């Protein structure tokens, strides 16, 4: 963040990046923790336990606890409250930038695994369906995923440093490589993969509905209840995927664009006013990149009547909200 103050730049623009990190950063930190704790409570309950999909989502939730309370918290303290943790302590600098990439990629990968498991479970081919719901396979994939992303991200423990008084990547080729790698892997790839899996999952569910419709017409409505359930599921799934896509695009794509723009324009001559606006836009984009994970619980609640009902059951609230009239 450029902190050069000139008379040509208004104070409002200069302090905007700090205020954004304080207020928006704290808001995302609080809502993200609530969302993550909500997911942990739901997916560790008896209603959802012992499912392959749940293993991915529960592991993701624990990863996000660290993501919010170390990666985002240190960002808020450093860039909002001006507590120079990263610039002062080399160990925190290295760990923070390593954790930023590692936890982000790991959480995205686990979410993709969960979506892929649901896709396989609705596939028309038994050869594909047999790969869904395998708990032992889920544990193995989680472990492999953790190891692979650890190996891929560990370079930041070596090439990031605060020895110069500023926590930055090693200048030259590595800094350019790291920026483009993050832009592609953390920016462009996630929304593209999410869109593809969402489309395939919707198509798979609708294909199942069509097959059930034919079966209903053949066996005289014996499968009608199942068909009604599938149609309700399709409606809720469509709503949830639309919301997830709506959140994913502004969370990931602008972040990738900002990283590439920074690389391309880093040596350009810019006015103080332009730099100030750049700093403000950069902070908005980088803070919004946390929203995909901080809104997961709320998207699920808004999208699924079944999930809301099960949450009420988990907390024992259903009977209190809808009391049973006893004779």
């Amino acid at each position: 963040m450029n902190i050069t103050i000139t008379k040509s730049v208004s104070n409002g623009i200069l302090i905007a990046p700090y205020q954004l990190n304080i207020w928006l950063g704290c808001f995302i930190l609080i809502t993200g923790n609530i969302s993550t704790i909500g997911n942990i409570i739901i997916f560790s309950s008896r209603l959802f336990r012992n499912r392959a999909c749940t293993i991915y989502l529960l592991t993701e939730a624990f990863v996000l606890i660290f993501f919010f309370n170390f990666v985002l918290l240190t960002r808020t303290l450093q860039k909002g409250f001006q507590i120079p943790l990263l610039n002062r302590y080399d160990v925190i600098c290295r760990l923070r930038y390593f954790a930023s990439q590692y936890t982000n990629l790991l959480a995205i990968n686990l979410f993709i695994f969960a979506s892929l498991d649901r896709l396989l479970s609705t596939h028309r081919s038994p050869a594909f369906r047999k790969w869904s719901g395998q708990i032992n396979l889920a544990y193995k994939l989680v472990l492999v995923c953790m190891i692979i992303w650890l190996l891929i991200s560990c370079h930041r423990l070596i090439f990031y440093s605060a020895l110069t008084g500023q926590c930055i990547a090693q200048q030259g080729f590595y800094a350019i490589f790291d920026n483009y790698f993050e832009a592609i892997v953390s920016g462009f790839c996630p929304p593209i993969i999410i869109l593809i899996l969402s489309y395939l999952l919707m198509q798979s569910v609708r294909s199942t509905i069509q097959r059930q419709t034919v079966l209903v017409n053949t066996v005289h409505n014996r499968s009608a209840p199942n068909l009604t359930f599938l149609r309700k599921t399709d409606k809720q799934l469509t709503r949830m995927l639309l919301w997830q896509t709506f959140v994913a695009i502004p969370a990931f794509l602008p972040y990738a664009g900002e990283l590439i723009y920074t690389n391309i324009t880093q040596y350009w001559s810019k006015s103080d006013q332009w730099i100030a606006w750049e700093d403000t836009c950069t902070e908005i984009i980088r803070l919004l990149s946390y929203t995909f994970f901080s809104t997961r619980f709320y998207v699920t609640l808004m999208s699924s009547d079944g999930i809301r009902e099960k949450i009420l059951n988990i907390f024992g609230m259903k009977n209190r909200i809808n009391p049973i009239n006893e004779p």
Side-chain angles (χ1 to χ4, degrees):
M1 187 186 303
N2 193 300
I3 58 173
T4 303
I5 300 177
T6 65
K7 294 181 180 179
S8 63
V9 183
S10 69
N11 286 333
I13 299 174
L14 289 172
I15 67 171
Y18 307 108
Q19 295 298 317
L20 282 166
N21 276 285
I22 291 172
W23 296 105
L24 184 56
C26 287
F27 176 77
I28 296 174
L29 182 63
I30 294 169
T31 56
N33 273 295
I34 294 172
S35 174
T36 305
I37 292 170
N39 282 331
I40 290 173
I41 293 172
I42 292 172
F43 296 125
S44 60
S45 68
R46 286 181 296 176
L47 289 170
F48 292 93
R49 204 179 301 158
N50 297 324
R51 299 183 186 181
C53 180
T54 299
I55 292 169
Y56 300 126
L57 296 175
L58 189 58
T59 307
E60 180 203 21
F62 282 112
V63 171
L64 290 178
I65 286 287
F66 187 76
F67 179 70
F68 287 119
N69 293 291
F70 181 62
V71 176
L72 179 56
L73 179 60
T74 51
R75 176 187 183 81
T76 304
L77 293 175
Q78 168 99 7
K79 299 203 170 187
F81 294 97
Q82 296 297 288
I83 301 174
L85 292 174
L86 304 183
N87 293 340
R88 183 176 296 173
Y89 302 103
D90 188 60
V91 172
I92 296 178
C93 167
R94 295 172 190 265
L95 286 175
R96 194 270 175 189
Y97 275 95
F98 160 74
S100 173
Q101 186 172 88
Y102 178 64
T103 54
N104 183 279
L105 295 175
L106 182 58
I108 291 170
N109 205 155
L110 292 169
F111 173 76
I112 289 171
F113 277 164
S115 301
L116 187 59
D117 181 79
R118 294 299 83 205
L119 173 62
L120 292 173
S121 70
T122 61
H123 203 278
R124 65 184 302 170
S125 171
F128 284 99
R129 284 202 306 272
K130 73 177 183 179
W131 290 103
S132 69
Q134 294 194 24
I135 295 176
N136 289 333
L137 177 62
Y139 281 119
K140 292 176 183 177
L141 286 175
V142 167
L143 181 60
V144 169
C145 183
M146 293 173 71
I147 293 172
I148 289 175
W149 288 122
L150 176 64
L151 295 174
I152 291 175
S153 303
C154 67
H155 59 87
R156 287 192 164 191
L157 292 170
I158 302 170
F159 295 108
Y160 270 80
S161 175
L163 296 178
T164 60
Q166 188 176 5
C167 183
I168 56 173
Q170 181 176 304
Q171 294 300 301
F173 172 78
Y174 175 75
I176 297 172
F177 159 78
D178 187 62
N179 248 16
Y180 279 113
F181 177 81
E182 187 165 7
I184 294 169
V185 178
S186 299
F188 287 122
C189 288
I192 292 172
I193 295 173
I194 290 169
L195 283 170
I196 292 172
L197 287 177
S198 299
Y199 173 77
L200 292 175
L201 185 54
M202 289 171 59
Q203 291 295 107
S204 182
V205 170
R206 287 170 182 174
S207 176
T208 303
I209 291 174
Q210 291 175 357
R211 294 198 303 272
Q212 288 289 335
T213 303
V214 174
L215 183 61
V216 165
N217 294 333
T218 304
V219 297
H220 307 293
N221 293 329
R222 264 183 10 203
S223 298
N226 189 38
L227 182 58
T228 302
F229 170 77
L230 285 171
R231 284 175 174 161
K232 183 179 179 181
T233 300
D234 176 57
K235 182 179 178 181
Q236 293 180 3
L237 180 63
T238 302
R239 193 188 313 157
M240 183 177 71
L241 295 176
L242 285 173
W243 273 107
Q244 285 180 346
T245 303
F246 178 76
V247 175
I249 290 175
F252 293 117
L253 291 182
Y255 179 61
E258 184 269 327
L259 289 172
I260 293 173
Y261 171 81
T262 300
N263 255 353
I264 294 173
T265 67
Q266 59 181 323
Y267 300 115
W268 290 8
S269 176
K270 303 172 186 177
S271 68
D272 293 328
Q273 184 85 6
W274 184 267
I275 292 172
W277 278 109
E278 266 190 5
D279 289 342
T280 301
C281 293
T282 296
E283 296 309 311
I284 293 172
I285 290 170
R286 297 206 171 193
L287 286 168
L288 288 178
S289 69
Y290 292 87
T291 56
F292 177 75
F293 298 116
S294 67
T295 57
R296 293 279 312 287
F297 178 71
Y298 312 112
V299 167
T300 303
L301 282 181
M302 289 189 296
S303 307
S304 175
D305 298 331
I307 290 289
R308 284 198 297 270
E309 184 177 340
K310 288 176 181 178
I311 290 173
L312 293 178
N313 285 332
I314 291 170
F315 290 100
M317 296 171 60
K318 188 176 180 182
N319 290 335
R320 278 178 275 172
I321 295 175
N322 298 310
I324 300 174
N325 295 325
E326 298 182 357

